[in-house]
Amino acid sequence: MIEVLLCSVLTVLPDFLVRRFVQGKRIGHEITLYSVWYELRYGITACIALTVILLTLILYYHPSTSSAISFFRTIPILPEGSGRVEEVYVGIRDKVEAGQRIFRLDSSEQEAALETARRRISEIDAGFELAKTELVGADARIQEAQSAYQQALDEFETKSELQRRNASTVAQREIERLANIVEGRQAAVSAVVASKQSVESQISSVLPAQKKSAEAALAQAQVELDKTVVYAGVAGTLEQFTLRKGDIVNPFMRPAGVLIPAEAGRKALIGGFSQLEAQVMKVGMVAEATCISMPLTIIPMVVTEVQDLIATGQVRASDQLIDAQQVVRPGTITVFLEPLFAGGFDGVPPGSSCIANAYTNNHDRLAEEDLGTAHWLFLHVIDTVGLVHAIILRFQALLLPVQTLVFSGGH
């Protein structure tokens, strides 16, 4: 509508002025409701053609969208395990800092597991002391066994020497008995040495491994205990938080509330532009926006990112093939817009719906020396109609409150 009015000023109005002041035709006499088309046919035809050309140039080289929204993420407040709420540290719509406690679940079971793990470590430490005592006892037993073995060996060697000198002095049966005693004492020495090695293995390998396992179990029990307290991951504001002591919460149920990050939706707009502008939208383009939540204000912006895919083409693995006809509505090019100046989004609530324009700038191309005259003139026209689009956006900013409150019945 605004484009038609602008074009009519350049076409219909001059045609009317010629008819009125040059040809002397008056409204209500020569120019009536029935003859207006014939009398102003040149101006009306030129107005329609100019409007079509202007709209084509504006909307293609200076894309516009009414689907620009300051999206923001929300963080569900959920524990990692289920349980009954024991204590709540915050209230409804409180502002929290990162790391601040929100609520705590009943932790009696986790505390019992933690105490059990601690007792297990104490048992292993006591096992270390017992093993050291057994090691001392094993040394004493080895010394005792070695002494007995040496005594038996000495007696065996003495009587064997006597028998060798005089066979009738010591009976062969006695020599065999002493030999058996020596072998038995030697086996006893080997047994107590093996017993000492077993104790040493307990001290050097088994008990340390058991202690490490117990320490790991203690750490796991501590982690499970820590999970009973839910903390704020980022600074923000609590919304829909109605949790009270005694409530049962479960990570698979609905969240206990929602945490809105402090900076959510306050840094950028995400706009959906027509696929036709895929070759026009570039990073670095200057843009402007006006939001319903902040009327009569134009926010200078810049294009910081252009998503290189269209969301409607995404495919999910399923047992059915997707027919292209199922995509009834074509998707849009997702563009990220950020304020050109610091504080540009001050006063714009997250989630606001906005109208955004992006402007093609041919300043660098116009500075090229080998640019043809027709091409130079065309680029100047493109930059000029960008000014028209900027004026249209300002008209929209002025009419937006009226359109929202009066014509759409908004409150």
Side-chain angles (χ1 to χ4, degrees):
M1 184 63 183
I2 298 176
E3 293 85 350
V4 175
L5 293 177
L6 291 175
C7 293
S8 64
V9 172
L10 300 176
T11 55
V12 178
L13 181 60
D15 193 7
F16 168 74
L17 294 177
V18 170
R19 303 290 183 181
R20 177 66 182 84
F21 295 104
V22 176
Q23 299 180 2
K25 296 181 179 181
R26 298 164 296 173
I27 296 177
H29 294 80
E30 292 83 8
I31 302 177
T32 64
L33 181 63
Y34 301 100
S35 64
V36 65
W37 162 248
Y38 177 78
E39 297 293 343
L40 302 179
R41 60 188 180 277
Y42 299 113
I44 294 174
T45 303
C47 179
I48 294 174
L50 184 60
T51 301
V52 172
I53 295 173
L54 182 63
L55 283 174
T56 302
L57 292 177
I58 288 177
L59 296 180
Y60 182 75
Y61 289 102
H62 307 287
S64 177
T65 180
S66 58
S67 301
I69 301 175
S70 57
F71 286 103
F72 62 93
R73 69 185 183 98
T74 62
I75 302 174
I77 302 174
L78 283 173
E80 294 190 41
S82 58
R84 189 177 297 275
V85 177
E86 181 66 23
E87 190 173 2
V88 179
Y89 304 106
V90 294
I92 301 176
R93 302 208 74 253
D94 277 0
K95 295 186 181 298
V96 296
E97 298 297 329
Q100 182 177 340
R101 294 186 300 176
I102 298 178
F103 66 90
R104 179 175 66 86
L105 300 178
D106 178 59
S107 58
S108 56
E109 182 179 350
Q110 289 78 8
E111 289 174 356
L114 183 65
E115 184 62 24
T116 300
R118 287 174 180 164
R119 295 294 179 87
R120 177 58 180 160
I121 292 179
S122 299
E123 290 177 3
I124 295 173
D125 290 336
F128 269 107
E129 298 301 325
L130 179 60
K132 292 177 182 178
T133 304
E134 291 180 352
L135 185 62
V136 175
D139 288 334
R141 289 193 297 273
I142 289 174
Q143 186 176 0
E144 180 183 3
Q146 286 177 342
S147 298
Y149 167 70
Q150 189 64 43
Q151 181 182 5
L153 182 61
D154 291 344
E155 185 177 0
F156 172 74
E157 290 177 349
T158 300
K159 291 188 175 183
S160 295
E161 181 64 23
L162 291 175
Q163 187 189 41
R164 186 180 63 79
R165 293 181 180 181
N166 188 356
S168 62
T169 306
V170 180
Q172 182 62 33
R173 180 74 177 173
E174 180 66 16
I175 297 299
E176 292 176 357
R177 184 182 68 83
L178 291 175
N180 290 333
I181 292 175
V182 170
E183 291 179 0
R185 299 289 173 82
Q186 187 177 12
V189 171
S190 300
V192 294
V193 169
S195 176
K196 179 183 177 181
Q197 291 175 349
S198 175
V199 174
E200 290 176 342
S201 177
Q202 289 280 334
I203 294 175
S204 63
S205 301
V206 178
L207 289 176
Q210 291 178 352
K211 186 171 182 178
K212 288 185 179 296
S213 298
E215 289 174 346
L218 177 65
Q220 178 63 30
Q222 184 65 54
V223 169
E224 295 299 327
L225 179 61
D226 293 339
K227 287 181 180 180
T228 59
V229 181
V230 177
Y231 299 88
V234 297
T237 304
L238 294 175
E239 296 288 350
Q240 303 175 12
F241 184 77
T242 58
L243 202 63
R244 292 296 177 265
K245 180 178 179 180
D247 292 348
I248 296 179
V249 293
N250 189 302
F252 301 103
M253 298 170 58
R254 66 176 182 85
V258 176
L259 176 61
I260 310 297
E263 299 298 325
R266 303 183 188 276
K267 293 184 178 180
L269 283 178
I270 299 178
F273 289 82
S274 172
Q275 294 185 28
L276 192 63
E277 279 88 28
Q279 304 302 317
V280 178
M281 296 299 307
K282 304 294 181 183
V283 174
M285 290 179 66
V286 177
E288 291 180 324
T290 180
C291 300
I292 298 178
S293 59
M294 196 174 179
L296 309 180
T297 302
I298 300 297
I299 304 174
M301 310 198 76
V302 62
V303 176
T304 58
E305 185 178 351
V306 180
Q307 190 167 287
D308 57 354
L309 50 85
I310 299 174
T312 50
Q314 63 182 326
V315 177
R316 288 185 177 181
S318 65
D319 57 351
Q320 291 183 343
L321 294 176
I322 296 179
D323 192 330
Q325 291 184 348
Q326 294 177 353
V327 184
V328 179
R329 186 176 180 180
T332 58
I333 300 295
T334 301
V335 178
F336 296 83
L337 308 168
E338 293 186 8
L340 194 59
F341 305 105
F345 258 12
D346 292 347
V348 179
S352 298
S353 295
C354 307
I355 301 173
N357 287 354
Y359 303 104
T360 298
N361 185 1
N362 296 301
H363 177 75
D364 295 336
R365 297 184 63 185
L366 288 170
E368 297 177 0
E369 296 181 356
D370 56 348
L371 194 65
T373 303
H375 196 185
W376 178 87
L377 181 61
F378 176 75
L379 294 180
H380 267 293
V381 171
I382 296 302
D383 287 351
T384 302
V385 297
L387 178 62
V388 176
H389 209 186
I391 295 173
I392 293 173
L393 181 65
R394 281 150 179 81
F395 274 120
Q396 290 175 319
L398 290 173
L399 297 177
L400 195 58
V402 178
Q403 179 182 358
T404 303
L405 298 175
V406 179
F407 295 103
S408 65
H411 298 284

